[in-house]
Amino acid sequence: MMVTLLGATTLVLVTLAPWVLSAAAGGKNVKSPQKVEVDIIDDTFILRWNRSDESVGNVTFSFDYQKPGMDNWIKLPGCQNITSTKCNFSSLKLNIYEEIKLLIRAEKENTSSWYEVDSFTPFRKAQIGPPEVHLEAEDKAIVIHISPPGTKDSVMWALDGLSFTYSLVIWKNSSSVEERIENIYSRHKIYKLSPETTYCLKVKAALLTSRKIGVYSPVHCIKTTEGFKVKSFPPLFLSPVPFTRVENELPPPENIEVIVQNQNYVLKWDYTYANMTFQVQWLHAFLKRNPGNHLYKWKQIRECENVKTTQCVFPQNIFQKGIYLLRVQASDGNNTSFWSEEIKFDTEIQASLLPPVFNVRSLSDSLCISIGAPQRSENKPVIQDYPLIYEILFWENASKAERKIIEKKTDVTIPNLKPLTVYCVKARAHSMDEKLNKSSVFSDVVCEETKSGNTSKIWLIIGIFTVLLALPFVIYAVKVLLRCINYVFFPSLKPSSNIDEYFSEQPLKNLLLLTSEEQIEKCFIIENISTIATVEETNQTDEDHKKYSSQTSQDSGNYSNEDESENKTSEELQQDFI
């Protein structure tokens, strides 16, 4: 019991020892820091906090951290025994998409309790820093080179380096009027500036997919060059016309545009001076999003190389579907101008919409129109990747009064027309996409004459007449079929032997024809037969009659006279034959 009491007393003293020592030294209990903030800009991780008691000096601060899957807390590198209220822990290798937890405490003679910082995900917490900007001056333009935020080996934006979009604010140094330019590439050129003028600008980056907008870069200023000038000098000798001399380089071509003619593109531009040679280059627009120099990625259009006019023509099929950049340069053999302003060239928007091909089929009171895809020169159908609607004009060839219908279908019927009348049709296509806003020219005119209005009646009469002619044959065939079916599936019953003997002696037609009249034996007079045949038949007949008479005489005497008369008759017949 005494030992237990002594142990408890020792434990209490040990627990109170730091407080006793602190009190003896005149110290106070240190409080935990408050309002800890995490600032992440690009790949820089900064912690800031406030002291809980400003009157207490010589206090240090330390952080511990914990990542997912860890049970223990680990000391945060770069944030141990910090005397200020700020520390940098950028050296810590973290998964920027995983949540992290932090603890902070204050330390002096004694230690405060831990203060837990709200957990956070570095990528969500991160802000986009200012991009790096480099400027080049021309006579009426400024070339801007932009490097993406972060370091070259940035971890935070490793997957988004090509997704940055940039915007800038530019103004004359002598004026406060600002101009904003949105959605520029990493290499951008600002045209139509004043020569020998100082311009200032600042740039910021953004990630639209992550809804992050960065901060502006420091302000950069640059002065444009003197530019192209033509100076006049007094005439020499007797020449009444002053001569000119060119200073600096040639001016670049201006007002570049692309139009469509048939299946070709026509690139046009303006230039002040004659006897010049021009060349045209193109570049994939998406390459502009990549940081770096793109000077060696431009490609020459062969049809627009060393042309002497202010336009060139090239076929549509040299460009696949996509967005391109075009630029023009002038030269006179010795001098070369700057490249012109780069224009965006979208093949889907610029490509001409060809007129539809259709087939017309006439009926008595209507025209049936089948619309198909247009054909290129090599007889290949043109594939349109966007929906179309069709405008169809038709009119009587004699009146020229046009009527119009709009259809989305490719099979169209024009009803309620006059029979035996020539109608003419033409059509064109319109894109349904408002952004494209394109229409084709009208197709060639196709004329077709409608058929007679009685055609349907004639065919109806012919059909009825055909049915009437075929009806007897059908009825006969049905009867024959029914008779065969009855014979095969429903045969007649076999009669008794007595009836069969009787009917077997009858002609076949008597079995098929049922008559209500009693059958009568028919007698025939046979002439010109041989004597032998007659005698035989007579003898057979006499014998039959004798048998019959003898039998009947035994039954009744009433028939004796009849027998005699029959005998006499037979004898008379015999004499007649003889």
Side-chain angles (χ1 to χ4, degrees):
M1 187 66 155
M2 193 66 178
V3 175
T4 303
L5 182 60
L6 182 60
T9 305
T10 305
L11 180 60
V12 171
L13 291 175
V14 171
T15 305
L16 296 176
W19 180 84
V20 172
L21 293 175
S22 175
K28 296 182 179 179
N29 289 331
V30 181
K31 296 182 179 179
S32 302
Q34 303 292 325
K35 296 182 179 180
V36 180
E37 295 181 357
V38 181
D39 293 333
I40 302 177
I41 299 178
D42 297 335
D43 293 279
T44 303
F45 295 72
I46 302 295
L47 288 172
R48 292 182 175 87
W49 60 91
N50 294 335
R51 293 175 179 267
S52 298
D53 191 351
E54 296 290 342
S55 61
V56 179
N58 299 327
V59 178
T60 60
F61 304 92
S62 298
F63 280 87
D64 285 2
Y65 76 97
Q66 187 181 60
K67 296 191 296 185
M70 296 175 55
D71 296 329
N72 300 327
W73 290 85
I74 304 175
K75 295 183 179 298
L76 185 65
C79 295
Q80 299 295 317
N81 302 319
I82 303 299
T83 57
S84 64
T85 57
K86 173 183 175 181
C87 73
N88 186 323
F89 64 104
S90 304
S91 61
L92 179 64
K93 303 300 180 182
L94 294 173
N95 184 341
I96 61 175
Y97 303 103
E98 288 184 353
E99 195 175 65
I100 185 174
K101 297 179 180 179
L102 296 176
L103 295 177
I104 184 175
R105 68 180 179 182
E107 300 171 340
K108 194 179 178 183
E109 290 85 359
N110 54 7
T111 303
S112 70
S113 59
W114 288 102
Y115 175 79
E116 185 173 356
V117 182
D118 293 337
S119 59
F120 62 94
T121 302
F123 182 79
R124 293 182 179 179
K125 195 77 173 177
Q127 297 179 351
I128 300 174
E132 185 179 348
V133 179
H134 175 70
L135 303 179
E136 293 180 8
E138 294 183 3
D139 53 354
K140 294 182 181 180
I142 295 176
V143 181
I144 307 170
H145 300 271
I146 305 174
S147 299
T151 61
K152 182 179 179 180
D153 300 325
S154 175
V155 176
M156 187 64 66
W157 314 124
L159 301 179
D160 302 284
L162 301 180
S163 302
F164 283 110
T165 60
Y166 303 97
S167 59
L168 62 84
V169 179
I170 187 171
W171 63 93
K172 289 183 180 180
N173 193 34
S174 59
S175 173
S176 59
V177 179
E178 297 181 343
E179 179 185 359
R180 297 181 181 273
I181 304 177
E182 304 289 340
N183 298 325
I184 65 175
Y185 296 112
S186 58
R187 185 183 185 278
H188 186 74
K189 193 173 184 179
I190 304 176
Y191 298 90
K192 300 177 181 179
L193 301 179
S194 301
E196 298 187 34
T197 304
T198 301
Y199 288 87
C200 297
L201 58 83
K202 56 183 179 180
V203 183
K204 68 178 179 180
L207 281 176
L208 301 180
T209 55
S210 303
R211 298 182 179 181
K212 292 179 178 292
I213 299 177
V215 297
Y216 278 107
S217 66
V219 175
H220 296 267
C221 297
I222 194 170
K223 184 179 181 179
T224 55
T225 59
E226 184 178 357
F228 177 81
K229 291 183 179 180
V230 178
K231 290 186 177 181
S232 298
F233 296 88
L236 297 177
F237 305 106
L238 300 177
S239 175
V241 180
F243 71 95
T244 60
R245 188 181 69 186
V246 177
E247 281 194 356
N248 299 333
E249 297 179 338
L250 297 173
E254 297 179 342
N255 303 325
I256 302 172
E257 63 174 345
V258 180
I259 61 175
V260 178
Q261 288 184 356
N262 299 326
Q263 298 180 23
N264 296 321
Y265 293 122
V266 180
L267 184 66
K268 296 183 177 182
W269 58 88
D270 294 336
Y271 205 73
T272 307
Y273 306 103
N275 300 324
M276 291 289 176
T277 302
F278 303 94
Q279 64 173 334
V280 181
Q281 292 183 346
W282 65 272
L283 178 72
H284 287 286
F286 69 85
L287 293 176
K288 281 283 189 172
R289 295 186 176 275
N290 299 333
N293 193 346
H294 306 289
L295 294 179
Y296 301 103
K297 296 180 181 179
W298 288 87
K299 298 181 180 180
Q300 186 75 38
I301 299 179
R302 290 179 296 177
E303 291 79 2
C304 301
E305 187 175 5
N306 298 324
V307 295
K308 301 296 184 180
T309 60
T310 56
Q311 70 173 30
C312 69
V313 181
F314 52 95
Q316 294 185 17
N317 56 14
I318 70 171
F319 287 112
Q320 298 180 353
K321 181 180 177 181
I323 302 175
Y324 301 87
L325 298 175
L326 299 177
R327 66 181 185 179
V328 185
Q329 187 182 56
S331 64
D332 62 356
N334 297 323
N335 297 319
T336 302
S337 73
F338 289 111
W339 285 101
S340 67
E341 182 178 356
E342 299 166 2
I343 64 167
K344 185 179 293 185
F345 172 67
D346 191 338
T347 58
E348 188 173 5
I349 296 176
Q350 295 288 347
S352 61
L353 189 60
L354 298 179
V357 176
F358 60 91
N359 179 37
V360 180
R361 183 169 56 90
S362 64
L363 299 178
S364 61
D365 59 349
S366 61
L367 291 177
C368 297
I369 302 174
S370 298
I371 301 175
Q375 303 288 323
R376 293 193 184 274
S377 58
E378 58 271 19
N379 294 326
K380 294 182 179 180
V382 178
I383 300 175
Q384 305 289 357
D385 296 330
Y386 38 85
L388 301 175
I389 58 176
Y390 301 96
E391 178 185 353
I392 301 173
L393 298 181
F394 65 97
W395 63 92
E396 291 184 24
N397 194 30
S399 67
K400 304 297 183 181
E402 294 182 349
R403 286 180 284 175
K404 180 174 68 174
I405 57 175
I406 303 295
E407 289 288 344
K408 296 181 181 180
K409 301 179 297 182
T410 55
D411 293 325
V412 182
T413 300
I414 305 176
N416 304 323
L417 301 180
K418 298 177 182 179
L420 298 177
T421 304
V422 178
Y423 285 88
C424 296
V425 182
K426 65 179 180 180
R428 66 176 176 175
H430 302 277
S431 64
M432 297 178 63
D433 192 345
E434 296 180 355
K435 295 180 180 179
L436 298 178
N437 192 22
K438 292 196 300 183
S439 299
S440 71
V441 298
F442 277 103
S443 64
D444 296 333
V445 177
V446 177
C447 296
E448 190 76 16
E449 183 181 8
T450 55
K451 297 181 179 180
S452 175
N454 296 325
T455 304
S456 59
K457 295 181 180 178
I458 293 173
W459 280 107
L460 179 62
I461 294 173
I462 293 174
I464 294 174
F465 183 74
T466 303
V467 171
L468 292 176
L469 287 179
L471 188 60
F473 296 97
V474 174
I475 294 173
Y476 178 77
V478 171
K479 282 187 174 182
V480 172
L481 181 62
L482 291 176
R483 186 176 297 175
C484 293
I485 292 174
N486 288 333
Y487 178 79
V488 173
F489 295 100
F490 306 100
S492 60
L493 297 177
K494 186 177 181 181
S496 62
S497 60
N498 295 332
I499 298 175
D500 187 38
E501 289 178 0
Y502 175 76
F503 280 102
S504 62
E505 297 177 358
Q506 305 300 323
L508 180 61
K509 63 181 181 179
N510 292 336
L511 297 176
L512 298 176
L513 300 176
L514 299 177
T515 58
S516 60
E517 297 180 358
E518 183 179 358
Q519 295 183 359
I520 302 173
E521 293 182 358
K522 296 182 180 181
C523 297
F524 299 90
I525 299 174
I526 303 173
E527 297 180 352
N528 299 327
I529 63 173
S530 62
T531 305
I532 298 174
T534 304
V535 172
E536 290 179 353
E537 289 178 358
T538 305
N539 292 334
Q540 290 176 356
T541 305
D542 290 342
E543 290 177 0
D544 292 336
H545 281 289
K546 288 180 180 180
K547 290 178 181 180
Y548 179 75
S549 60
S550 62
Q551 290 176 354
T552 54
S553 62
Q554 294 178 0
D555 294 334
S556 174
N558 295 331
Y559 299 97
S560 60
N561 294 331
E562 295 178 357
D563 295 338
E564 292 178 357
S565 62
E566 290 177 356
N567 292 333
K568 290 180 180 181
T569 304
S570 62
E571 291 177 358
E572 292 175 356
L573 291 173
Q574 185 176 4
Q575 291 178 359
D576 293 334
F577 283 116
I578 296 172

